[in-house]
Amino acid sequence: MKTLAVILGIIFNAGGGLAMARGLFISKKAALHLGVSRWSGTEEENLNLPAVRDRLTQRWWGLFGAVLVVVGSAFQIWAVI
């Protein structure tokens, strides 16, 4: 049972690290699309801007990755105990 906990901990930690790093992997097309300057509008309109959507997506993946790292660490601690 402890071996399974260690394996699950490592898998969750690796997945969490990849999820948090996901924002670093971007295509040239996406970078050009995000880098284009636009006029600001209302808050509702600004939420639909590509740069804002990208930051919100990065935020979601960062939170998801952090949760996976915490869960993976908990599995590894449980395996040691």
Side-chain angles (χ1 to χ4, degrees):
M1 188 65 170
K2 287 186 177 187
T3 303
L4 176 62
V6 171
I7 292 170
L8 287 174
I10 291 169
I11 289 171
F12 275 93
N13 282 337
L18 289 173
M20 286 191 286
R22 184 186 179 279
L24 301 174
F25 306 110
I26 186 170
S27 68
K28 285 184 182 179
K29 184 177 178 180
L32 287 171
H33 183 66
L34 292 171
V36 174
S37 178
R38 292 174 175 77
W39 290 97
S40 294
T42 66
E43 187 174 321
E44 294 285 324
E45 293 170 338
N46 289 340
L47 285 173
N48 292 320
L49 291 175
V52 176
R53 300 294 312 152
D54 179 61
R55 296 311 173 267
L56 292 172
T57 300
Q58 285 183 20
R59 177 182 148 207
W60 186 89
W61 279 105
L63 289 171
F64 179 68
V67 168
L68 289 179
V69 169
V70 168
V71 169
S73 297
F75 272 120
Q76 290 180 342
I77 291 169
W78 177 48
V80 172
I81 297 174

